[in-house]
Amino acid sequence: MTTTGIWGPGTPPVVRRDDSHYDADVAVIGSGAGGATVAWALAATGARVLVVERGGFLPREAANWSPEAVFGDGRYRNAETWHTTAGTPFTPAAHYYVGGTTKVYGASLPRLRESDFEAAEHPDGTSPAWPFPYADLEPYYAEAERLYRVHGRAGQDPTEPARSGPHPHPPVAHAPRIAELAERLRAQGLHPHPLELGIDLREGGTCVRCGTCDGFPCRVGAKSDAETRALRPALRSPTVRLLTHTYVSRLRTGASGRTVTAVEAHRNGHPVTITAGTVVVSCGAVNSAALLLRSAGGAHPGGLGNGSGLVGRNLMLHHNSMLMAVDPRRDPAVFQKTLAVNDYYHAGPHTPRPLGNLQLMGKVHPAAMATAHPHVPRRLLGELADRSVDWWLISEDLPLPGNRVLLGPDGGITLHWRPVNARAHRRLVAAGARMMRRAGHPLVLTHRMGVEHTGHQCGTTVAGHDPARSVLDPYCRSHEVPNLFVVDGGFFPSSAAVNPTLTIVAQALRAARRAVLRDP
């Protein structure tokens, strides 16, 4: 069957035809931050862009804001089981929906620091330099902030990078308790600053500043996720189409191995072939690496574009901990996710070595706490949550070739991951606890996240100039397969210590404009 019908005038943006073959100019595999943004960047070019997503649309429903449904029942967890190399099964923090994992992320959208693009020494090793400086990405950061409606204010964070202009929207106002906390932190010589957030607080915007942000879908569409901010606008173009419920199993090349000639997939259980002049893989760092490994054969016996042997290697997940600081004398803040502290990010007066970032997270609920503390009575968890201020602590995970994505005997995903730079994270947790006790919170509880927390995955298809030491060039094009791009967190040479989403979006804009469109 042919596919002329999916591009005709008046045809629906979400493909309904069940064909065995689809053809496009650009096939984008994955609709998360990288893939949706590439589609948006290409929407006005006239190129026929087919976005391929293995899941469907996450429904807007009352359960979106139910802690019991989201955390207790795992209502929106739809990823397959992954395994560690020790054989331990786990459910990753991956979500297969239109918009990818951004459908449930916390909408924290900071830029990397300028120093993150340079080599840096850490307690347990060296963070490598990137193949381009921060200045090259800065214009795309600015565009990404406009596209994803980022709120923030420059001038208060001592580590903030240079900017070509202000944030497109003012910072989100602090609740009274958080404003008081900010003053107590300043009294310690720290520099708390507004957390950069992608939410719809424009005049007439839909955000209600509820207590369900991190880990929850947004029932009112106020979160700047990839579907809302990039893909839906792209689908208004007659040359962008979306194919849902389509799992891509393999990329096939011609005899020379220099060109992807077909994308093999299954849609609703039926085999499908997709052809395109350019193929953009944006499945997330783990799944993109797994797809390239599954595509081994002929000229690429170790995996597609894997002449360096680095596909799947150097997996980084960040060191992540949750810190609850409880003061029974103070009322809670419903929307507390408005503050961050970077005084421990670089070596300086507060730390001899870089430790990482502290940012307030969405309100912790007893149902979420119960997964980490299953033996604590739910009533007690509720009383703690009612009086807590909740932080998310991030330290840099360093690249290690042995930390990698592997394929199991059945083709499933296996991760070998040993956290690197753990000493820095332990010191960050201790510093955060000390900071909050000094701020008048006598009870501090912490919980360290493990391999199952894969929301910040990166490093598995590293970018660089030397094909022997990298998988992609600085614009995310495969060194070995010129019509193949991998645009997600996999290209990161280092993980830095802040949320990666805005950097993925900025690089997606850069890759689409410079490499796909050949813009200067």
Side-chain angles (χ1 to χ4, degrees), residues 80 82 95 132 172 241 299 306 310 375 398 427 468 481 519:
E80 74 279 25
W82 295 359
H95 293 76
F132 52 86
V172 181
R241 295 290 181 262
N306 195 26
L310 292 174
H375 303 299
L398 302 181
R427 293 170 185 170
V481 187
D519 282 357

Side-chain angles (χ1 to χ4, degrees), residues 30-32 53-56 58 70-71 74-80 82 91-105 215-217 283 287 452-455 457:
S31 64
E53 169 56 47
R54 70 187 292 178
L58 192 152
V70 171
F71 298 109
R75 183 177 181 86
Y76 303 107
R77 289 285 185 104
N78 62 355
E80 74 279 25
W82 295 359
T91 301
H95 293 76
Y96 303 143
Y97 295 103
V98 176
T101 301
T102 67
K103 294 302 296 182
V104 299
Y105 81 147
F216 292 86
C283 306
N287 272 302
E452 74 286 344
H453 189 83
T454 57
Q457 57 189 260

Side-chain angles (χ1 to χ4, degrees), residues 30-71:
S31 64
T37 304
V38 166
W40 181 87
L42 298 179
T45 66
R48 297 175 305 151
V49 181
L50 182 62
V51 180
V52 184
E53 169 56 47
R54 70 187 292 178
F57 288 91
L58 192 152
R60 289 191 189 178
E61 56 187 5
N64 291 167
W65 286 350
S66 166
E68 289 296 337
V70 171
F71 298 109

Side-chain angles (χ1 to χ4, degrees), residues 497-515:
V498 292
N499 314 60
T501 303
L502 191 74
T503 301
I504 295 171
V505 171
Q507 177 70 346
L509 294 170
R510 181 173 182 262
R513 298 275 164 72
R514 178 66 180 267

